């Protein structure tokens, strides 16, 4: 399955009654497997989770931790960029040159990389003792 197809399909299941902004995300890992997730909102707004977080949780639950490509889609005028928190979540499992494709349901897309989305990212290497 292509990442776009997976992201489009999972977006249909997004639970977004408050924002009405349904998002789908799909990840391909280095092993070639695809994991997807959608946003899940909550009446207690801060408890909602992003599509990217759902896809990452599915990936880790399946025993995979190395992302090769990310695809995010929403029904909007502009391609949907991952929020700041999701940039950090993606960076935990992806090298800087990993492509992130952002798309709209209507077919607009733009592409960037993990490093461009989160320059100077805090990572595990900063926690090493000196
Ligand atoms: N959202 C995502 O799921 N991913 C993004 O990259 C941007 C924002 C969700 C969170 C919330 O449910 C809705 O979109 C509006 O912010």
């Amino acid at each position: 399955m292509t990442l776009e197809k997976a992201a489009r399909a999972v977006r249909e299941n997004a639970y977004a009654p408050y924002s009405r902004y349904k998002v789908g995300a799909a990840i391909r890992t280095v092993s070639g497997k695809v994991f997807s997730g959608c946003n899940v909102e909550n009446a207690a707004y801060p408890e909602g989770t992003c599509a990217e977080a759902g896809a990452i949780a599915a990936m880790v639950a399946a025993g995979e931790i190395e992302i090769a490509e990310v695809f995010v889609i929403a029904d909007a005028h502009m391609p949907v960029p991952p929020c700041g928190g999701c940039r950090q979540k993606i960076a935990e499992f992806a090298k800087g040159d990993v492509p992130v494709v952002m798309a709209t349901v209507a077919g607009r897309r733009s592409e960037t990389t993990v490093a461009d989305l989160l320059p100077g990212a805090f990572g595990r290497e900063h926690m090493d003792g000196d």
Side-chain angles (χ1 to χ4, degrees), residues 72-115:
V72 192
I73 191 164
D75 189 10
H77 296 295
M78 289 185 292
V80 50
C83 78
C86 285
R87 294 175 192 213
Q88 182 72 33
K89 290 183 177 76
I90 292 166
E92 179 74 20
F93 301 105
K95 297 202 171 78
D97 62 354
V98 163
V100 179
V101 180
M102 303 163 284
T104 69
V105 167
R108 287 184 71 176
R109 30 162 100 195
S110 63
E111 187 172 331
T112 184
T113 64
V114 169

Side-chain angles (χ1 to χ4, degrees), residues 1-16 19-27 35-39 50-53 55 69-83 90 100-110:
M1 169 155 347
T2 68
L3 280 193
E4 175 163 2
K5 202 171 167 197
R8 278 183 184 270
V10 74
R11 196 192 74 86
E12 301 288 333
N13 295 336
Y15 178 73
S19 71
R20 306 214 168 273
Y21 188 72
K22 291 184 162 197
V23 184
I27 290 167
F35 299 95
S36 59
C38 57
N39 52 332
C50 286
E52 297 90 328
E69 190 180 354
V70 180
F71 193 104
V72 192
I73 191 164
D75 189 10
H77 296 295
M78 289 185 292
V80 50
C83 78
I90 292 166
V100 179
V101 180
M102 303 163 284
T104 69
V105 167
R108 287 184 71 176
R109 30 162 100 195
S110 63

